[in-house]
Amino acid sequence: MIDFLFSKKKPQLSLSDIQERLQQQLAEDHRDQLAHRVCELALSARQSGNYGVGALICRDHEILFEASNAVFEPTRNSAAHAEMLLLDLWEQAVAKGEYPPEATAQLTLVCSLEPCPMCLSRLLMSGIRRICYLVEDKPGGMVSRARDLPPAFRNLMQTCDCTVLRANPEYRNLAQQLANHGLGELRQRLIDPAL
């Protein structure tokens, strides 16, 4: 098994404990409502046997699309990261004429976990200019390593506002718990597709 380094590891909560704590949280403002929803989506992903990551696309205060990680379930799909699924939904809606292409620059993508290299690259090429996430992904996130991107993508990063979503710290804690939940087992499934 591959060994990944994590910052201070907190005791892992069970999924039922995470769900209970999430239900106890009262989303008091718009940012907390978005944080609450991406945590619900991340919980749903993890309960389904996938990585605990959820994301949504919104414009102003309206959620337009949402998705949960689906890399393993219902079928194995290495590209089924929450952000990738969202971009598929958005681009299909634009292709059908439901939204004008220029609306893309007005969107915000909110994710429970910092986007990985694959997702960040596609987000930068999509035209979405605001990306918010609840917690950094130290072993796999790319926003915090933007200086390591190829020059063309570093240039695109300059057109994009990528930030940690300012929300109730409990949502960040829950997002981190969900991102780390069952990580060893999930990494093993990634390495050995027969599992």
Side-chain angles (χ1 to χ4, degrees):
M1 186 153 110
I2 296 175
D3 186 27
F4 288 90
L5 300 176
F6 295 96
S7 59
K8 297 181 219 171
K9 210 165 187 187
K10 296 180 181 181
Q12 185 63 61
L13 297 174
S14 69
L15 289 179
S16 58
D17 288 340
I18 293 171
Q19 184 171 15
E20 184 178 316
R21 286 176 67 172
L22 186 55
Q23 289 170 342
Q24 292 171 354
Q25 287 301 307
L26 182 61
E28 304 210 357
D29 67 18
H30 176 63
R31 287 185 304 254
D32 282 354
Q33 290 168 3
L34 297 175
H36 190 96
R37 186 61 188 144
V38 294
C39 285
E40 287 177 333
L41 294 164
L43 176 62
S44 175
R46 191 60 199 108
Q47 288 171 328
S48 297
N50 296 297
Y51 288 105
V53 180
L56 59 83
I57 289 176
C58 63
R59 185 176 51 199
D60 299 320
H61 297 284
E62 178 188 9
I63 296 174
L64 302 177
F65 297 100
E66 51 188 36
S68 298
N69 182 285
V71 168
F72 299 111
E73 304 296 338
T75 60
R76 188 177 175 97
N77 179 350
S78 61
H81 293 206
E83 304 96 319
M84 300 289 275
L85 296 172
L86 274 176
L87 289 172
D88 289 345
L89 291 171
W90 173 254
E91 290 169 352
Q92 289 166 11
V94 169
K96 291 178 188 173
E98 296 171 16
Y99 297 96
E102 60 273 11
T104 305
Q106 301 162 1
L107 301 176
T108 299
L109 183 130
V110 180
C111 193
S112 61
L113 187 65
E114 177 184 4
C116 73
M118 174 179 69
C119 293
L120 181 61
S121 296
R122 185 162 174 213
L123 284 165
L124 292 173
M125 292 188 298
S126 76
I128 292 176
R129 294 294 164 239
R130 183 160 165 71
I131 302 166
C132 300
Y133 52 94
L134 281 173
V135 291
E136 286 185 359
D137 181 2
K138 292 193 186 300
M142 196 68 218
V143 174
S144 56
R145 292 180 184 82
R147 68 189 175 286
D148 297 329
L149 286 166
F153 288 92
R154 281 197 312 268
N155 287 338
L156 286 173
M157 273 296 283
Q158 294 175 15
T159 68
C160 191
D161 178 20
C162 298
T163 61
V164 174
L165 182 68
R166 284 182 280 150
N168 181 324
E170 180 63 6
Y171 289 118
R172 285 196 294 280
N173 178 46
L174 293 172
Q176 191 70 66
Q177 287 280 335
L178 286 160
N180 290 340
H181 193 277
L183 198 54
E185 168 202 335
L186 293 169
R187 297 275 190 210
Q188 199 60 36
R189 284 180 74 187
L190 197 61
I191 295 165
D192 185 355
L195 294 178

